[in-house]
Amino acid sequence: MMKRKLATVVLAIFICSVFVVTGSAQESIVSDYPELKPLVDFVGEKDLSVMDLVGYKAAEKAMEELGFSKGDPNVLALTDAGYIANIGKYSSAGALNGVMMTAGVSRGEGNLVNVHRGCDKPLWFAFFDKETGDCIYLEVNKGNLKSWLDKEAAGTVDLSAFMKVSADALFSKISKENIDPDELITEEGAKAWNHNFVNKTFGGNEFSIVTISAVWSKGISNEFLRSAEFHNHICPGLTSGYFMTQYLRENYPLEKGEQWVVWSVPPWCKDDAFQQIFDSTVGKRGMAVMYVPGSVSEKLAPEYKNIAGIYIKIGKTGEAKAIVLGWDWEKVCSDCGFARKDFKGFDSYKWWWVRLRSDVVLMDHEPEEYISVLMVKDLGNQGSVKVMNAKWMAVGANPLVELGIMPKSETTSIPTPTPAPTKETPSIPGLGVIAAIAIAGALVYVAKRKKRG
Ligand SMILES: [Zn+2]
């Protein structure tokens, strides 16, 4: 028994000594760069990557330029790293580690915003200090970084050499501007800042950075921040969706087994907030979209002109209720102090100024000031979400007619000489097509006859 114990101890000492020898043989990058310790501790020495260090370098440069230290509660970091902004075939997700561990920001703390961008978009970082209003933007030089990532993939990268790459070489754009929201929401402030939009000072990400930073600095809920990440900016359209989710939860709370299904009629930015907050995603059949063209909306009764969407509360048994909400854009404009046509002022500062201004002003208002309940209707048993959507939001169907929001005769722009055959299926697309072909045929016939005549 004693012999066995002794053998175990000897073996343990031997194993430990082997580890110490091999460990000390490999020099840690931390001995040359002690400031990397938090990052190396987080990812592990053997998993430390070029992309981790890109995040470190962005944060380090920002801390130097803006003069803040790790964990400063006044600082917000924004980046599209990992969401998705690839560098060629390489993911940029690792850069998040470097930003987090160096600047001391995280999603958990609500001061790291992962801005959604397409897979081929440039990789960028921005840091905003709400105390000074200063913001620094760093956009990665794709060509330079890719050469390092290629080396890493081939197993020949020297991370110490990468550490020596200057910020000016790694980043193709580094720009610093003041984006103090209190200044930018004034018309004079917006006019003075507009050249930054024109010159793409933040690489074309000005609207994302300025709007998210502004609302964050005023205090933003986690739900709204997550919606802003997904939507990649904050606009009054997204705010309207956030307000509607809050309104529905407050006034029509879900009961056990129930879920929200959104019929986005018509769609606008709000629907990204619904997908994020209610998880009512298109792919999971939680949302169906239908446009309301101007020719249709102008025929809607005045009380329905503000229609924002149809929100279905459906239970496990299939019992469903439709709540139709309206959104008052005119009141938004008058409360924020600009004309509605300014939303379309794309040839000047106006388009972004009115959006930023409403983002900030609306934060001091309540959802019920702008939302109206246009209709609440029991839909009875709809079977299931899939069956219900396939019926009400099918190609050729018109939920506005079915709900009695608009008269049947206004349902379609295709002239139909005969009424639809049954009450249950008011608009079969096939019939419309046949009718259109028939009419077209008749017109061609008439035209040919005219020509001959
Ligand atoms: Zn938007």
Side-chain angles (χ1 to χ4, degrees):
M1 197 66 180
M2 275 299 280
K3 265 188 179 172
R4 241 177 104 175
K5 258 191 181 168
L6 188 70
T8 313
V9 170
V10 169
L11 186 68
I13 290 170
F14 173 74
I15 290 170
C16 285
S17 63
V18 168
F19 269 106
V20 168
V21 170
T22 51
S24 61
Q26 273 180 335
E27 187 81 6
S28 168
I29 195 167
V30 174
S31 50
D32 285 336
Y33 299 97
E35 62 274 25
L36 286 179
K37 189 170 187 312
L39 175 58
V40 172
D41 285 348
F42 184 63
V43 300
E45 182 99 42
K46 73 171 173 48
D47 289 329
L48 185 69
S49 68
V50 168
M51 209 46 102
D52 292 324
L53 296 177
V54 171
Y56 161 81
K57 279 170 165 288
E60 185 205 34
K61 181 71 178 168
M63 290 162 86
E64 182 190 317
E65 292 288 327
L66 295 185
F68 71 92
S69 48
K70 186 177 180 179
D72 187 332
N74 291 317
V75 171
L76 173 72
L78 307 99
T79 179
D80 61 356
Y83 195 38
I84 291 175
N86 294 332
I87 300 291
K89 62 180 177 182
Y90 306 107
S91 160
S92 60
L96 289 167
N97 299 329
V99 170
M100 282 168 58
M101 302 316 292
T102 309
V105 292
S106 72
R107 282 162 66 88
E109 289 295 320
N111 53 8
L112 172 59
V113 183
N114 210 180
V115 181
H116 190 198
R117 287 277 183 235
C119 54
D120 296 323
K121 292 286 178 187
L123 171 60
W124 57 267
F125 307 86
F127 295 82
F128 165 67
D129 184 338
K130 70 176 175 185
E131 203 164 65
T132 62
D134 283 338
C135 180
I136 185 168
Y137 173 82
L138 307 105
E139 187 172 308
V140 164
N141 181 330
K142 226 172 180 169
N144 184 312
L145 180 56
K146 191 175 170 298
S147 67
W148 287 95
L149 295 169
D150 285 338
K151 279 186 219 168
E152 187 170 54
T156 58
V157 78
D158 176 357
L159 292 182
S160 292
F162 181 70
M163 281 300 288
K164 294 193 182 80
V165 175
S166 72
D168 287 334
L170 181 61
F171 301 105
S172 55
K173 186 168 224 154
I174 301 176
S175 33
K176 188 176 151 188
E177 285 295 332
N178 193 282
I179 60 166
D180 179 3
D182 294 330
E183 192 64 37
L184 264 50
I185 62 167
T186 68
E187 192 158 12
E188 286 313 306
K191 273 184 202 168
W193 211 84
N194 193 49
H195 66 278
N196 290 305
F197 272 91
V198 175
N199 301 332
K200 295 191 163 82
T201 302
F202 293 161
N205 299 298
E206 298 78 23
F207 190 64
S208 296
I209 293 168
V210 164
T211 57
I212 295 173
S213 299
V215 181
W216 175 82
S217 74
K218 303 289 173 192
I220 188 169
S221 72
N222 179 55
E223 290 175 25
F224 196 19
L225 192 57
R226 299 287 86 93
S227 306
E229 286 186 326
F230 179 54
H231 190 58
N232 80 31
H233 62 255
I234 297 178
C235 58
L238 189 74
T239 307
S240 71
Y242 170 59
F243 274 16
M244 283 181 232
T245 61
Q246 306 307 302
Y247 185 89
L248 288 170
R249 288 163 70 188
E250 175 81 23
N251 294 284
Y252 304 93
L254 290 181
E255 279 154 42
K256 198 165 181 274
E258 285 185 331
Q259 71 166 95
W260 286 110
V261 172
V262 174
W263 291 344
S264 167
V265 188
W268 73 69
C269 297
K270 63 180 164 51
D271 296 299
D272 285 352
F274 278 101
Q275 294 192 76
Q276 191 75 314
I277 296 169
F278 284 174
D279 189 23
S280 57
T281 65
V282 175
K284 296 193 292 282
R285 301 194 181 91
M287 179 175 286
V289 174
M290 205 174 272
Y291 285 78
V292 181
S295 58
V296 171
S297 70
E298 70 191 16
K299 286 167 192 155
L300 287 174
E303 65 268 31
Y304 291 122
K305 287 225 189 285
N306 278 338
I307 186 168
I310 304 160
Y311 305 96
I312 312 293
K313 220 177 153 201
I314 182 166
K316 276 216 160 73
T317 56
E319 288 298 322
K321 181 188 263 185
I323 297 133
V324 183
L325 296 184
W327 176 260
D328 192 345
W329 280 112
E330 291 300 337
K331 184 166 163 51
V332 170
C333 297
S334 72
D335 285 354
C336 298
F338 54 78
R340 192 162 175 180
K341 68 171 169 44
D342 291 342
F343 277 125
K344 289 181 177 161
F346 294 107
D347 55 350
S348 73
Y349 63 94
K350 285 208 169 145
W351 74 269
W352 66 266
W353 169 61
V354 295
R355 283 170 174 82
L356 174 68
R357 187 170 168 79
S358 6
D359 287 350
V360 173
V361 171
L362 286 174
M363 286 293 95
D364 290 329
H365 289 262
E366 296 299 324
E368 47 271 27
E369 294 176 52
Y370 307 97
I371 294 168
S372 50
V373 178
L374 304 182
M375 178 185 279
V376 177
K377 200 167 190 169
D378 219 318
L379 301 184
N381 197 305
Q382 293 290 319
S384 68
V385 170
K386 186 178 176 180
V387 169
M388 175 178 74
N389 284 347
K391 177 187 163 197
W392 288 77
M393 297 295 281
V395 174
N398 187 334
L400 299 182
V401 168
E402 293 294 296
L403 286 171
I405 289 173
M406 65 186 286
K408 197 178 253 179
S409 58
E410 314 286 6
T411 55
T412 169
S413 57
I414 301 171
T416 41
T418 49
T422 61
K423 215 181 169 195
E424 283 73 36
T425 52
S427 39
I428 296 171
L431 277 186
V433 173
I434 292 166
I437 292 169
I439 291 168
L443 287 175
V444 168
Y445 177 73
V446 170
K448 276 186 178 166
R449 276 191 63 135
K450 267 190 179 167
K451 242 185 185 173
R452 277 185 213 145

